[in-house]
Amino acid sequence: MTLTPSSRGAEQTAPSETTGRHRVVIIGSGFGGLTAARALKGADVDVTLISRTTTHLFQPLLYQVATGILSEGEIAPTTRLVLRKQKNVQVLLGEVEAIDLKAKTVTSKLMTMTTVSHFDSLIVAAGAQQSYFGNDQFATFAPGMKTIDDALELRGRILGAFEAAEVTTDHAERERRLTFVVVGAGPTGVELAGQIAELADRTLAGAFRTIKPNECRVILLEGAGAVLPPMGEKLGLKAQRRLEKMGVEVQLNALVTNVDYQGVTVKDKDGAERRIECACKVWSAGVQASPLGKMIAEQSDGTETDRAGRVIMEPDLSVKGHPNVFVVGDLMSVQGVPGMAQGAIQGAKYVTKLIKRELAGHADPANRAPFKYFDKGSMATISRFSAVAQVGKLEFGGFIAWLAWLVLHLVYLVGFKNRFTTLITWFITFLGHSRGQMAITSQMIYARLAMDMLQNQQKLALRQSPLAAVEEAEELERGAS
Ligand SMILES: Cc1cc2nc3c(=O)[nH]c(=O)nc-3n(C[C@H](O)[C@H](O)[C@H](O)COP(=O)(O)OP(=O)(O)OC[C@H]3O[C@@H](n4cnc5c(N)ncnc54)[C@H](O)[C@@H]3O)c2cc1C
């Protein structure tokens, strides 16, 4: 591996020893990236895993961090510690800003340091981010649920709303503070709505003097006509009934057309618009693939991206014209493969097997068997002891589904200690009333907004600086000549 620190950087990334072995660069430390790195254990390759986060995040349990059940550490072990014993891997923290398929380089940035990593094989597992369908301004008032920051911010907002409701003497404002709106009734929306209701009903019961937390409104808005649309009508109805039993107001065919500080505007099926005044809003309505997908597609003759920005892959998960550049996980678009952890894990195992077999001379790159996805099913929890699950043609709900959910999530959680502490935490939370992660700080609630403001101020200051004015004039002059 060759690392070339940029001349602009004040500091340099220490270059690793060059071994002359096949260099595999992996982008992302999620399900796809980490699985790929682990699958290359013992292989005769040098692996560089680049990610913008230091952790491997188990996204399916983010909602439990947001609602005070689990700590962020329990669902996000540090990637370099997970891979500590795997000597052929170097983990680099950095935001990948450029991929050059011709030069076979990946350029990443950490603070002022720019690093260029050379590859022989590239595995891109950069995942997806929240999509506001062109209304990014909604994010200020309705955070999504993709990162640890998102989950902690939401915890701050959810618990903060109850605190503010206790303090205010204005009746309408109290009602607004005690109204929680979750946009999108996919698994994340269902799980979050159920957990907010359970938090209010069980954990916070009796803890306030002015308000009764269980009198709060939890509203789940869905633009489609059913809850959990991909899981089918039967399970969707089951989940809806359970949520309604818990007091969650499920509103279907309800499209959110605006989000502001005071609340949300909703358009119903008949076209009429109405307002819901609410302080705490959560967005779980859609995803957009990482922009790295488009960057890759643009460099490959004939490769396209789908509507969500995912790269439409060749049958062997490579990029057209670049047999050793692979995309796996949420960033790949392959017919019949859902944007779920299993898709990323199976994709990563498949491509690493190809790389290993071809390097060993056991397989011919020109004759690759296509990637086949094995559907292990899907599930969503609604409340403690209640979930819905779909495995093949089998659909079931209730306690058995919840037990299956519990076991599966423990199996896929990385690290023995995390599994152990999570099991104990669940035992305490689900059998009792308390939750162990109820602390909130101002940083959780305001840090993102403060950073946005700071960035805007910096941009403004830069635009107003004399230097920027000179640069702008030079730019205009260059354009004119
Ligand atoms: C709230 C939530 C709940 C979910 N629940 C379930 C569930 O119950 N079951 C299920 O199967 N799936 C679930 N999913 C989906 C599942 O988590 C994803 O399908 C899976 O994480 C995809 O893996 P991935 O490796 O493609 O991407 P990710 O796990 O998202 O990882 C992407 C990685 O790329 C890194 N990255 C991104 N851009 C850059 C860049 N420019 N430079 C450097 N690094 C970068 C990120 O830091 C991250 O490490 C859920 C997702 C969410 C958000």
Side-chain angles (χ1 to χ4, degrees), residues 27-34 50-53 55-63 94-97 108 124-130 145-147 187-188 191 287 290-292 328-332 338-345 377-380 405 409:
I27 302 175
S29 58
F31 283 103
L34 186 68
I50 308 168
S51 184
R52 64 175 168 209
T53 53
T55 57
H56 162 68
L57 176 59
F58 192 89
Q59 288 174 347
L61 288 174
L62 270 174
Y63 77 97
E95 172 95 28
V96 170
E97 293 189 332
S108 57
V124 187
Q129 54 212 32
Q130 210 72 57
M145 268 260 284
K146 273 298 205 184
T147 63
T188 303
E191 290 172 338
V287 289
S290 154
L292 294 182
V328 299
D330 283 3
L331 188 52
M332 71 181 184
M340 290 173 64
Q342 271 306 318
I345 292 171
S378 51
M379 46 182 55
W405 167 90
H409 281 68

Side-chain angles (χ1 to χ4, degrees), residues 132 136-144 149-150 153 157 443-461 463:
Y132 289 84
D136 289 352
Q137 71 280 9
F138 291 178
T140 307
F141 310 106
D149 281 336
D150 291 339
E153 181 176 350
R157 286 184 180 221
Q443 254 187 41
M444 284 179 185
I445 307 172
Y446 301 115
R448 187 170 59 100
L449 295 180
M451 275 164 69
D452 282 352
M453 272 167 64
L454 201 67
Q455 271 168 4
N456 288 340
Q457 275 170 13
Q458 278 171 348
K459 274 186 209 151
L460 197 70
R463 249 184 272 142

Side-chain angles (χ1 to χ4, degrees), residues 64-136:
Q64 294 205 358
V65 174
T67 52
I69 298 174
L70 295 176
S71 74
E72 61 277 24
E74 277 164 308
I75 67 159
T78 304
T79 314
R80 68 173 65 258
L81 295 182
V82 174
L83 295 169
R84 175 182 9 212
K85 290 191 180 148
Q86 203 175 315
K87 298 294 179 207
N88 66 344
V89 181
Q90 181 177 27
V91 178
L92 289 183
L93 180 63
E95 172 95 28
V96 170
E97 293 189 332
I99 299 172
D100 188 331
L101 296 190
K102 227 176 185 175
K104 295 193 169 187
T105 57
V106 171
T107 305
S108 57
K109 194 151 188 194
L110 176 65
M111 294 177 280
T112 57
M113 295 171 282
T114 303
T115 304
V116 178
S117 303
H118 295 259
F119 64 82
D120 298 306
S121 293
L122 174 66
I123 302 172
V124 187
Q129 54 212 32
Q130 210 72 57
S131 168
Y132 289 84
F133 307 113
N135 294 301
D136 289 352

Side-chain angles (χ1 to χ4, degrees), residues 168-250:
T168 184
T169 51
D170 181 290
H171 181 72
E173 181 59 6
R174 183 175 300 149
E175 278 194 358
R176 194 181 77 85
R177 296 276 175 190
L178 287 177
T179 302
F180 299 85
V181 165
V182 179
V183 186
T188 303
V190 164
E191 290 172 338
L192 198 62
Q195 275 311 316
I196 297 173
E198 213 163 74
L199 171 78
D201 199 40
R202 289 175 61 81
T203 311
L204 299 180
F208 292 87
R209 299 295 168 256
T210 311
I211 61 163
K212 289 195 174 68
N214 62 353
E215 286 178 2
C216 73
R217 288 178 75 193
V218 182
I219 303 172
L220 181 61
L221 298 174
E222 170 58 49
V227 163
L228 295 174
M231 290 183 88
E233 199 183 330
K234 191 176 140 202
L235 289 185
L237 261 179
K238 217 176 192 114
Q240 184 178 342
R241 289 213 188 97
R242 175 74 196 138
L243 283 169
E244 285 169 346
K245 209 166 162 200
M246 294 166 69
V248 175
E249 296 173 39
V250 180

